[in-house]
C-alpha cells in the first residue's frame, strides 16, 4: 500500500520500474502532466486513477474528484483542460443509483471546470475484486505561449505561496472512512484550479512551478520541487495555513497536516519581483482567497525542505515514506 | 485549535527560555520519559533553544519501540492465520519482527486492520462471529485502561471470538531500572503527563527520594515541555528532589480512579521484557487469571518462537539514554525509516526516527541515504 501513498515509495516505483520500462523523454520529466508538442501546439496531457473509499464523502464524491484531479494536474502545467476521457471499473453488485449519482457528479464537475468528457470506457469486475467503483480519467489541454512551469526553473529567492488552508481533503475523508468525528464538520476542498491558475498567469506568465499537493500533501510537493530543482526550501511553520478542525484532527491522530492530502489547493514558486502581484491576484479569486506566502527557495541545503518552527528552532520536512500511520497515544 | 495554539505561543516560550537560561549555572542531564515528548522536543527544535548546559536525554517511553521482538513475532504468526482478523493501532504495522512486519502479512493475504480504538476491534468481533478477532494491546498506563475495558466488555457481552495480545508496560519500574544502571547519567526526570493522568503521582515520591532525583510531571505541547524543564532545572539548582506537577490541567495526584480500578480488575502486574533493554521486574501487565480466556497467547498457543535481533542495532542504548541516535554507526546508513534495524527508527515516536526526520541537517550528508526523488 505504501507504494501508492504518494511518498518516497511511490517515487521509487515510478523511477525504478515504470520509467525505465516505458522509456521516452517526455515521461522522464515526471511532471503531474506531460508537456508535449503536437502539430505546433504545446499540449499538457495527464492521467489519474481514483480509488477513494468511501465513494461519497463530505464535500464531494469519487465522480467530481476524478474530474478535478486530472483538471488540476493539467492546470499545474498552466493548461486549461479541454477534453477528458473517463474509464469506469465497476464491481459486480454495485447499485445502479450509486453509479448514476457518481456519473451525474462527474458530469457536473466537468461542466463547472469547463471541460468536455469526450470519450470513455466501462469494465465490470467480479464481486470482491474492487471497491465498488474505480475511475480513471485522462485529460488534454493547451499550454499558453510563454508559460513554462517546471521545477528546474526554481531559483533561490523564489517565493513559495499556497492558495489556502491545507489538509482539508485528507481529514474529511478520514472523518468518514474511520468513523471519526472531530467536533467540526470538515468538507473536502475538492475543486478545479484552472481558473485560479489563469488568474495567476494573467499577472505574469513567468511563474516557475505549480503543484497541487494531493497524496503526500504539501511536504511531498515541496520535497519533489526541492529535489528536482536542486535548491533548498525554507518554510515558516507558523505561516502554513491549517484550519482549526484539521489541526485538531491531526493532533488527535498523531498526523502532521503538512503530509495530509489536498484536492483543491496549489503551491506556487514565484519570482520574488512578481510575488506581491501574484498573491493579490490569487486573493481576488474565490479559490485563492486565503493564499499566503509560506517560505522561499534558498541556496542552502540543496534538495531539502526545512521548517523554521514557531519557537525559533529548525527541522527537516522529509518526504513521507508511505502512508502516514496514526500513532498509538 | 485554540487550546493547542495557546501552548505553542512563541512569546511565552521565549520568556520560559529566558528564565531557564538565567537559572542554569552548571550542566544538568534531564530525561524525558515519553516518546511523545521526544517527538515534540525534536519537531519544535526545543533542544536547540535550551542552554548548552541542559542536556535532554531521550527515555524509553515509546510503546512501539519497547515491545519485544518475541511479541511482534507472535503477532505476525497469529495475524497470518486464515481465520483471524488482527487489529492494531497503525504505528505497529511497520515495526519489524524477525524478517517481516504486519504490512507484509497483510500483503500476503492476512486480514490485518488498523483501528483507532480497541472497542472498534470488539465491534469487528461482533460482526464476524465466524472469525477470531485479536487486538494488539501494547503501550503504557495510557493505553492499558481502554484495553482492559474492552476485555471487560467482551466478557460482559459474552463475545467469545475476541482476544488481546498483551504487551503492556509500566513506567515507574523503568525509571528505577534506569537509575540503577551503573552508567546512568540522568539527574532528573520529566515524567509522562498522559501516564500520570491515569495513575496519578503516587508512585513517584519514593523514587524521587530514593534516587534523589527531581521528577516533574510534564505535558506534551512545546510550552509544557519548557515549563517542565524550567521547574526541573530550578529544583536541580536548589538541590531539591521532589515530585512536582507541571501538567495540572490533565493530572491530579490521585489519577483516574475508574481507570485504575479497571486495570486492577482485568490485569495483574508481571515481569516484562523491554525491547533493547531486557526484562525489568514488575514492569508490565498481563491478563489476570480471571480473564485468561481472552489472552491471545493462550488461545493461539504461540510458543517456540525464535527471535533474532539485528546485531548492528543499538536501540537498547538509545532507549536507556546512553547513546544519542546520530551517534550510532548505522544511523542514516544501514538504518533508516525505510529499512529500520530497530523499532526506535520505525516508530513515529522513536528517538531515532525523530532525529532522522527532523535533524538530518545536523548529520554529515555523506552518512545519509540519498533522497529517493530527483
Amino acid at each position: 500500500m505504501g507504494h501508492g501513498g504518494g511518498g518516497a515509495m511511490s517515487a521509487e516505483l515510478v523511477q525504478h520500474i515504470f520509467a525505465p520500462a516505458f522509456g521516452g523523454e517526455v515521461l522522464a520529466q515526471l511532471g503531474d502532466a506531460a508537456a508535449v508538442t503536437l502539430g505546433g501546439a504545446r499540449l499538457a496531457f495527464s492521467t489519474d486513477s481514483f480509488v477513494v473509499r468511501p465513494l461519497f464523502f463530505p464535500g464531494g464524491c469519487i465522480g467530481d474528484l476524478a474530474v478535478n484531479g486530472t483538471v488540476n494536474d493539467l492546470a499545474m502545467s498552466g493548461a486549461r483542460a479541454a477534453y477528458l476521457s473517463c474509464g469506469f471499473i465497476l464491481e459486480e453488485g454495485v447499485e445502479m443509483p450509486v453509479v448514476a449519482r457518481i456519473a451525474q457528479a462527474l458530469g457536473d464537475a466537468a461542466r463547472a471546470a469547463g471541460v468536455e468528457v469526450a470519450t470513455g470506457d466501462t469494465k465490470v469486475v467480479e464481486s470482491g475484486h474492487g471497491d465498488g467503483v474505480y475511475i480513471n480519467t485522462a485529460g488534454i489541454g493547451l499550454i499558453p505561449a510563454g508559460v513554462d512551469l517546471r521545477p528546474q526553473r526554481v531559483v533561490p529567492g523564489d517565493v513559495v505561496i499556497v492558495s489556502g488552508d491545507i489538509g482539508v481533503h485528507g481529514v474529511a475523508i478520514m472523518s468518514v472512512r474511520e468513523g471519526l468525528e472531530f467536533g467540526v464538520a470538515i468538507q473536502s476542498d475538492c475543486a478545479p484550479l484552472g481558473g485560479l491558475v489563469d488568474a495567476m498567469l494573467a499577472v505574469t506568465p513567468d511563474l516557475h512551478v505549480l503543484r497541487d499537493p494531493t497524496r503526500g500533501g504539501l511536504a511531498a510537493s515541496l520535497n519533489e520541487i526541492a529535489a528536482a530543482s536542486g535548491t533548498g526550501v525554507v518554510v515558516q511553520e507558523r505561516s502554513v495555513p491549517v484550519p482549526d478542525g484539521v489541526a485538531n484532527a491531526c493532533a488527535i491522530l498523531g498526523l502532521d497536516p503538512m503530509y495530509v492530502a489536498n484536492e483543491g489547493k496549489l503551491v506556487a514558486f514565484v519570482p520574488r519581483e512578481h510575488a506581491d502581484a501574484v498573491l493579490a491576484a490569487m486573493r481576488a479569486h474565490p479559490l485563492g482567497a486565503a493564499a499566503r506566502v509560506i517560505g522561499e527557495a534558498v541556496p542552502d541545503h540543496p534538495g531539502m525542505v526545512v521548517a523554521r518552527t514557531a519557537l525559533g528552532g529548525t527541522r527537516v520536512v522529509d518526504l513521507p515514506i508511505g502512508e502516514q500511520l496514526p500513532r498509538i497515544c | 485549535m485554540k487550546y493547542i495554539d495557546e501552548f505553542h505561543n512563541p512569546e511565552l516560550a521565549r520568556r520560559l527560555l529566558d528564565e531557564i537560561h538565567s537559572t542554569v549555572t552548571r550542566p544538568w542531564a534531564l530525561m524525558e520519559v515519553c516518546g511523545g515528548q521526544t517527538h515534540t522536543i525534536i519537531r519544535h527544535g526545543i533542544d536547540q533553544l535550551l542552554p548548552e548546559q541542559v542536556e535532554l536525554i531521550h527515555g524509553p517511553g515509546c510503546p512501539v519501540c519497547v515491545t519485544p521482538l518475541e511479541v511482534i513475532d507472535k503477532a505476525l504468526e497469529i495475524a497470518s492465520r486464515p481465520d483471524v482478523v488482527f487489529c492494531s493501532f497503525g504505528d505497529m504495522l511497520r515495526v519489524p519482527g524477525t524478517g517481516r512486519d504486519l504490512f507484509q502479512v497483510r500483503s500476503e493475504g492476512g486480514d490485518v486492520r488498523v483501528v483507532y480504538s480497541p472497542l472498534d476491534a470488539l465491534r469487528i468481533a461482533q460482526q464476524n462471529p465466524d472469525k477470531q478477532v485479536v487486538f494488539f494491546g501494547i503501550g503504557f498506563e495510557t493505553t492499558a485502561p481502554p484495553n482492559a475495558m474492552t476485555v471487560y466488555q467482551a466478557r460482559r457481552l459474552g463475545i467469545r471470538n475476541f482476544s488481546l495480545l498483551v504487551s503492556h508496560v509500566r513506567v515507574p519500574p523503568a525509571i528505577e531500572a534506569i537509575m540503577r544502571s551503573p552508567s546512568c547519567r540522568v539527574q532528573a526526570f520529566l515524567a509522562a503527563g498522559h501516564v500520570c493522568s491515569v495513575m496519578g503521582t503516587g508512585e513517584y515520591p519514593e523514587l524521587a527520594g530514593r534516587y534523589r532525583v527531581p521528577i516533574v510531571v510534564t505535558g506534551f505541547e512545546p510550552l509544557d515541555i519548557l515549563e517542565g524543564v524550567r521547574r526541573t532545572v530550578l529544583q536541580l539548582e536548589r538541590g531539591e528532589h521532589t515530585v512536582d506537577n507541571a501538567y495540572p490541567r490533565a493530572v491530579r495526584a490521585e489519577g483516574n480512579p475508574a481507570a485504575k480500578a479497571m486495570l486492577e480488575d482485568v490485569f495483574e502486574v508481571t515481569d516484562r521484557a523491554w525491547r533493547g533493554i531486557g526484562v525489568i521486574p514488575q514492569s508490565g501487565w498481563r491478563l489476570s487469571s480471571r480473564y485468561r480466556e481472552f489472552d491471545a497467547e493462550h488461545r493461539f498457543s504461540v510458543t517456540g518462537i525464535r527471535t533474532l535481533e539485528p546485531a548492528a542495532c543499538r536501540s537498547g542504548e538509545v532507549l536507556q539514554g546512553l547513546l544519542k541516535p546520530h551517534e550510532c554507526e548505522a544511523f542514516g546508513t544501514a538504518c533508516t525509516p525505510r529499512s529500520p534495524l530497530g523499532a526506535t527508527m520505525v516508530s513515529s515516536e522513536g528517538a531515532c526516527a525523530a532525529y532522522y526526520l527532523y535533524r538530518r541537517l545536523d548529520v554529515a550528508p555523506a552518512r545519509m541515504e540519498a533522497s529517493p526523488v530527483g
Side-chain angles (χ1 to χ4, degrees):
Chain A
M1 288 302 291
H3 286 101
M9 291 170 75
S10 300
E12 283 175 22
L13 184 66
V14 172
Q15 285 197 317
H16 297 154
I17 306 263
F18 295 146
F22 301 160
E25 287 176 24
V26 178
L27 182 63
Q29 297 168 5
L30 294 180
D32 286 346
V36 296
T37 304
L38 201 62
R42 288 181 69 227
L43 301 174
F45 181 33
S46 184
T47 184
D48 209 341
S49 299
F50 299 84
V51 295
V52 65
R53 187 168 50 87
L55 298 171
F56 299 89
F57 48 81
C61 73
I62 190 171
D64 41 58
L65 199 60
V67 169
N68 292 333
T70 294
V71 161
N72 290 347
D73 283 348
L74 295 173
M76 296 308 109
S77 306
R80 258 302 183 118
Y83 296 103
L84 287 187
S85 75
C86 171
F88 271 75
I89 298 173
L90 307 176
E91 184 187 7
E92 183 184 17
V94 66
E95 294 172 358
M96 277 304 128
V98 169
V99 179
R101 266 179 77 195
I102 291 168
Q104 188 62 47
L106 194 150
D108 290 346
R111 282 181 283 279
V115 61
E116 184 178 341
V117 179
T119 183
D121 177 53
T122 308
K123 294 281 186 295
V124 178
V125 295
E126 285 176 34
S127 178
H129 289 251
D131 249 341
V133 178
Y134 297 148
I135 302 176
N136 173 274
T137 53
I140 194 159
L142 273 173
I143 300 175
V147 173
D148 181 17
L149 299 172
R150 287 178 292 127
Q152 290 78 8
R153 295 195 62 218
V154 170
V155 291
D158 280 2
V159 172
V160 183
I161 302 173
V162 291
S163 62
D165 290 340
I166 66 156
V168 181
H169 174 75
V171 167
I173 293 280
M174 268 184 270
S175 69
V176 283
R177 182 189 295 171
E178 314 297 353
L180 300 170
E181 301 205 356
F182 305 114
V184 191
I186 298 170
Q187 298 238 317
S188 168
D189 57 357
C190 185
L193 294 168
L196 176 62
V197 173
D198 284 352
M200 296 166 73
L201 290 171
V203 173
T204 171
D206 189 26
L207 305 174
H208 283 170
V209 70
L210 299 177
R211 277 279 194 279
D212 59 333
T214 52
R215 291 170 311 163
L218 186 60
S221 291
L222 293 176
N223 269 282
E224 285 164 16
I225 292 168
S229 66
T231 63
V233 175
V234 170
V235 173
Q236 302 298 331
E237 202 168 41
R238 267 187 97 74
S239 301
V240 176
V242 182
D244 289 350
V246 170
N248 190 356
C250 288
I252 290 168
L253 295 173
L255 305 177
D256 185 338
M258 297 265 279
Y259 293 90
V260 176
N262 312 272
E263 285 294 346
K265 297 296 179 321
L266 63 81
V267 55
F269 281 60
V270 181
R272 186 166 291 277
E273 63 269 27
H274 300 311
D276 288 343
V278 170
L279 192 62
M282 292 174 78
R283 286 178 173 166
H285 191 279
L287 293 177
R292 289 176 79 165
V293 172
I294 60 164
E296 62 179 328
V298 295
D300 308 327
H301 49 81
M304 289 178 88
V305 181
V306 166
R308 299 258 183 263
T309 71
L311 304 190
T314 302
R315 71 176 171 106
V316 173
V317 179
D318 204 3
L319 196 67
I321 298 168
E323 290 177 279
Q324 276 206 104
L325 297 171
R327 64 169 193 252
I328 178 170
C329 67
Chain B
M1 189 184 187
K2 291 287 168 261
Y3 197 57
I4 288 180
D5 277 354
E6 286 166 11
F7 294 95
H8 288 231
N9 185 314
E11 283 171 29
L12 294 176
R14 176 48 54 195
R15 268 186 246 164
L16 285 168
L17 280 163
D18 287 347
E19 203 174 328
I20 294 166
H21 275 266
S22 62
T23 304
V24 169
T25 62
R26 55 201 166 112
W28 298 113
L30 282 52
M31 174 175 275
E32 82 277 359
V33 171
C34 176
Q37 292 169 333
T38 304
H39 191 82
T40 300
I41 288 163
I42 305 299
R43 186 179 189 279
H44 294 273
I46 289 171
D47 55 331
Q48 300 166 332
L49 305 171
L50 290 172
E52 269 183 27
Q53 296 105 312
V54 177
E55 181 188 2
L56 292 177
I57 298 176
H58 314 308
C62 163
V64 173
C65 303
V66 301
T67 302
L69 187 57
E70 188 187 354
V71 176
I72 309 272
D73 284 351
K74 285 177 179 173
L76 296 170
E77 185 173 324
I78 294 170
S80 302
R81 300 191 182 195
D83 61 330
V84 165
V85 180
F86 194 87
C87 301
S88 169
F89 292 130
D91 49 3
M92 286 306 291
L93 266 62
R94 221 181 261 142
V95 181
T98 305
R100 56 186 185 150
D101 59 27
L102 285 167
F103 266 129
Q104 269 172 282
V105 171
R106 187 160 84 176
S107 68
E108 289 159 13
D111 192 347
V112 177
R113 303 188 193 180
V114 172
V115 294
Y116 294 86
S117 156
L119 289 170
D120 292 343
L122 195 60
R123 199 176 58 240
I124 292 170
Q126 284 176 297
Q127 292 163 350
N128 296 274
D130 56 331
K131 295 274 188 183
Q132 285 290 329
V133 176
V134 182
F135 181 72
F136 202 173
I138 71 151
F140 287 86
E141 291 91 331
T142 42
T143 50
N147 293 348
M149 189 184 69
T150 307
V151 171
Y152 174 85
Q153 279 284 78
R155 164 173 283 181
R156 201 176 67 82
L157 298 171
I159 300 170
R160 303 255 169 241
N161 62 325
F162 176 81
S163 58
L164 202 61
L165 179 61
V166 186
S167 187
H168 282 299
V169 279
R170 302 172 58 233
V171 164
I175 289 182
E176 178 133 31
I178 287 162
M179 290 312 297
R180 281 187 171 174
S181 163
S183 45
C184 174
R185 296 189 298 121
V186 179
Q187 293 165 294
F189 287 94
L190 305 179
H194 288 173
V195 167
C196 296
S197 69
V198 174
M199 302 305 289
T201 54
E203 295 174 284
Y204 293 123
E206 193 194 332
L207 284 171
R210 193 182 321 147
Y211 297 102
R212 304 183 64 79
V213 286
I215 299 179
V216 178
V217 178
T218 303
F220 296 83
E221 300 303 331
L223 289 189
D224 291 324
I225 303 279
L226 289 173
E227 176 62 10
V229 171
R230 186 187 73 84
R231 293 198 196 189
T232 308
V233 168
L234 266 177
Q235 281 204 49
L236 287 166
E237 290 283 342
R238 290 174 183 160
E240 297 170 355
H241 46 81
T242 63
V243 176
D244 186 12
N245 181 6
Y247 196 35
R249 70 180 187 278
V251 173
R252 292 180 187 158
E254 69 275 18
N256 181 332
K260 286 159 83 173
M262 186 59 71
L263 283 173
E264 203 164 307
D265 178 39
V266 177
F267 289 138
E268 61 192 20
V269 171
T270 183
D271 296 350
R272 177 71 72 193
W274 295 51
R275 189 170 192 175
I277 297 177
V279 174
I280 301 177
Q282 302 290 290
S283 70
W285 276 298
R286 66 179 173 202
L287 285 162
S288 68
S289 53
R290 295 190 304 283
Y291 290 89
R292 189 60 44 84
E293 62 185 299
F294 294 99
D295 187 339
E297 288 193 49
H298 179 68
R299 185 170 297 191
F300 295 96
S301 305
V302 272
T303 52
I305 286 186
R306 294 164 63 93
T307 60
L308 190 62
E309 287 277 9
C313 183
R314 300 177 70 186
S315 61
E317 291 163 81
V318 173
L319 287 168
Q320 294 172 76
L322 304 175
L323 185 77
K324 284 276 198 307
H326 61 287
E327 293 164 0
C328 171
E329 277 302 307
F331 178 82
T333 52
C335 184
T336 68
R338 268 304 300 281
S339 54
L341 291 179
T344 47
M345 182 59 94
V346 77
S347 162
S348 59
E349 291 193 357
C352 296
Y355 270 68
Y356 187 90
L357 290 176
Y358 301 138
R359 277 301 155 71
R360 292 159 67 184
L361 286 180
D362 300 348
V363 182
R367 286 193 52 203
M368 306 303 298
E369 168 184 77
S371 174
V373 174

